[in-house]
Amino acid sequence: MDAIQNLIRFILDLGATVMMPIIIMLLGLGLRQKFSQAIRSGLTVGMGFAGIFLVIGLFSSNLSPAAKAMVDNFGLHLDVLDVGWPVHAAISFGTPIVPIVFILGVLINIIMLTMNWTKTMDIDLWNYWHFIFAGGLVMYKTGSALLGIVASCITIIIVLKLADYTQPYVEKFFGMPGISLPHTEDVGWAPICIFLNKVIDKIPVINKIELDPLSIQKRFGVIGEPMFIGLILGGFIGFLAGYDSKGVIQLGINMAAVMFLLPRMSKILMEGLMPLSDSAREFLNSRFPGKKVFIGLDSAVVVGHPSVMAVCLLMIPITLLLAAVLPGNRIMPFTDLAGLCFCLLWAVGASRGNVFRGLVISTILMVFILYIATDIAPVSTIMAKEVGFPFPEGTLAVSSLDGGSHFVPYIIYKIIALFQ
């Protein structure tokens, strides 16, 4: 088992920019692509992911200091530290159920595809940590590794079904044909976001408000372009962070660069994926007429949408305000403030890019996310201690906004905990 865990860790340590080209190339060859076409598709996908992660790195490295400054300016003093998704991922990969969940995850996906119980072929192996996180919560709460593995398996099944359910939105709104997003931290909220969007449809006056980059651009011309929206919102965040004029301008320019570059990186990614998608369609039609398969990817491929980024930036001060005023909230938002685009993706997707609706729905979701992050803090802290996570000085409890956004694992965790 240790050998399997070491192999899995080696593969994951390669990172998406290395791992994804290999997976895409092998899939292409399995679908009877020419070697030259398969390797070109794989490398193009790798370059797309590299570009996406570079731009997200630019986003996070500029926004994290601003978020910290805003926390200080708001005077927040809460006792649970938001350590961010990278730490939760590392903690999850340190749990003993990793190899079993990986093997079962792949087997479940293959069985569900074979039996036509899902159309999603999840090749996003790195984000299997979401499934492991679900199992880890249950395992450290109940003391049973078996129940933890069961929780992981249930999460995998539900997430694959939700990826199928939301695929039309990914294709029509985000412009990603043949792609689905089995991303646990966001897709679990999709049905709720779709329901809330339908509720807004019924509210007079409010249901007429249309605010999206395209309508803004039509009304205001070049000033409404995504890069100008990034410039304005970045400057606004810099102002709230208490930056001087130089800092405000620099943050504005960097956010403008993010809004400009991320959609272009996604196009490079799709350039590599489309030949694979076409080959998969031809291969399946020749052997199983009418059968569809969607390629399951990281939500990073769509977070660059201008509406998603706009809502993400606006939600930073709103999240801090909610953390300060919500009774019973204990988590101090920090690290994951720069990653809200992943947690709140479907608030925008369900409203088809309407920033106003996305903001309303995101605010509602954030109330739940803060309370869930607070509720899982005790078991999250136990998990961190068990895998030897080095606690920052003075920190007694840890959690994350990203952990709080794992809605499906949380429901499973609470149901199982009721019977313990």
Side-chain angles (χ1 to χ4, degrees):
M1 195 63 72
D2 286 342
I4 296 173
Q5 188 156 0
N6 290 335
L7 176 62
I8 291 170
R9 188 171 297 280
F10 171 77
I11 293 171
L12 293 174
D13 285 345
L14 292 174
T17 54
V18 175
M19 187 172 64
M20 290 306 294
I22 295 172
I23 293 173
I24 295 298
M25 186 182 71
L26 292 176
L27 281 174
L29 292 173
L31 294 170
R32 307 293 176 82
Q33 282 185 345
K34 293 180 180 178
F35 180 77
S36 58
Q37 185 182 21
I39 195 168
R40 187 184 188 283
S41 292
L43 287 173
T44 304
V45 167
M47 299 311 100
F49 267 110
I52 287 170
F53 291 139
L54 282 171
V55 179
I56 290 176
L58 173 67
F59 179 76
S60 299
S61 63
N62 280 273
L63 210 54
S64 292
K68 183 179 186 307
M70 289 175 67
V71 168
D72 294 339
N73 291 343
F74 274 61
L76 287 180
H77 299 287
L78 300 166
D79 66 329
V80 177
L81 179 64
D82 170 18
V83 293
W85 74 262
V87 171
H88 260 153
I91 290 171
S92 298
F93 283 134
T95 59
I97 62 174
V98 171
I100 297 174
V101 172
F102 253 89
I103 294 169
L104 288 177
V106 173
L107 288 176
I108 288 170
N109 196 184
I110 292 172
I111 291 169
M112 290 182 69
L113 282 168
T114 304
M115 302 298 293
N116 289 322
W117 294 339
T118 186
K119 294 182 178 69
T120 294
M121 177 173 59
D122 187 2
I123 63 173
D124 183 22
L125 299 181
W126 161 255
N127 280 312
Y128 267 45
W129 79 262
H130 295 151
F131 309 141
I132 299 164
F133 178 69
L137 286 176
V138 171
M139 184 179 73
Y140 286 107
K141 176 69 175 179
T142 64
S144 169
L146 178 60
L147 285 177
I149 293 167
V150 169
S152 293
C153 292
I154 295 172
T155 301
I156 292 166
I157 293 168
I158 294 173
V159 167
L160 289 173
K161 297 299 290 183
L162 286 173
D164 291 344
Y165 171 64
T166 55
Q167 197 279 331
Y169 288 85
V170 178
E171 182 160 339
K172 294 173 185 176
F173 173 64
F174 290 112
M176 294 275 180
I179 304 300
S180 64
L181 305 175
H183 213 229
T184 312
E185 65 195 353
D186 51 67
V187 77
W189 297 106
I192 296 172
C193 294
I194 292 169
F195 169 75
L196 290 173
N197 187 60
K198 290 180 179 178
V199 171
I200 294 174
D201 280 336
K202 306 294 183 182
I203 303 175
V205 181
I206 290 178
N207 62 2
K208 302 296 182 185
I209 299 175
E210 291 289 339
L211 187 64
D212 60 79
L214 186 60
S215 62
I216 295 171
Q217 191 171 343
K218 284 181 179 178
R219 179 172 295 183
F220 298 105
V222 68
I223 297 177
E225 290 187 10
M227 63 179 172
F228 279 96
I229 295 173
L231 177 67
I232 293 167
L233 292 179
F236 175 65
I237 295 297
F239 172 76
L240 291 179
Y243 285 1
D244 58 19
S245 57
K246 176 185 174 183
V248 168
I249 293 170
Q250 286 177 332
L251 185 58
I253 291 294
N254 284 323
M255 292 305 100
V258 169
M259 296 281 270
F260 182 81
L261 292 172
L262 259 183
R264 284 158 175 76
M265 297 303 104
S266 296
K267 287 181 181 178
I268 294 173
L269 182 76
M270 285 306 299
E271 183 183 330
L273 286 174
M274 286 312 299
L276 179 68
S277 180
D278 293 340
S279 296
R281 192 176 300 112
E282 292 172 7
F283 180 84
L284 290 170
N285 284 338
S286 66
R287 288 162 177 78
F288 311 99
K291 186 179 178 69
K292 282 187 176 180
V293 172
F294 307 132
I295 300 172
L297 294 177
D298 191 321
S299 292
V301 301
V302 299
V303 296
H305 191 282
S307 292
V308 175
M309 300 306 296
V311 169
C312 170
L313 289 169
L314 290 169
M315 278 303 299
I316 292 174
I318 292 173
T319 299
L320 291 173
L321 180 61
L322 288 173
V325 302
L326 285 176
N329 173 62
R330 293 173 54 205
I331 187 166
M332 182 173 70
F334 174 45
T335 306
D336 275 337
L337 286 172
L340 293 182
C341 49
F342 292 95
C343 306
L344 305 174
L345 168 67
W346 282 106
V348 179
S351 57
R352 293 178 172 83
N354 188 319
V355 173
F356 172 75
R357 291 189 181 203
L359 204 58
V360 171
I361 296 171
S362 291
T363 301
I364 295 170
L365 295 190
M366 188 50 65
V367 174
F368 287 97
I369 289 171
L370 287 167
Y371 279 133
I372 291 172
T374 295
D375 192 43
I376 65 172
V379 68
S380 182
T381 303
I382 292 171
M383 287 173 65
K385 288 179 178 178
E386 287 293 322
V387 301
F389 170 70
F391 281 63
E393 186 176 350
T395 300
L396 299 177
V398 296
S399 187
S400 71
L401 294 180
D402 184 90
S405 71
H406 282 66
F407 184 61
V408 170
Y410 178 72
I411 296 300
I412 296 169
Y413 159 76
K414 293 300 285 186
I415 290 173
I416 293 177
L418 283 175
F419 296 95
Q420 293 299 306

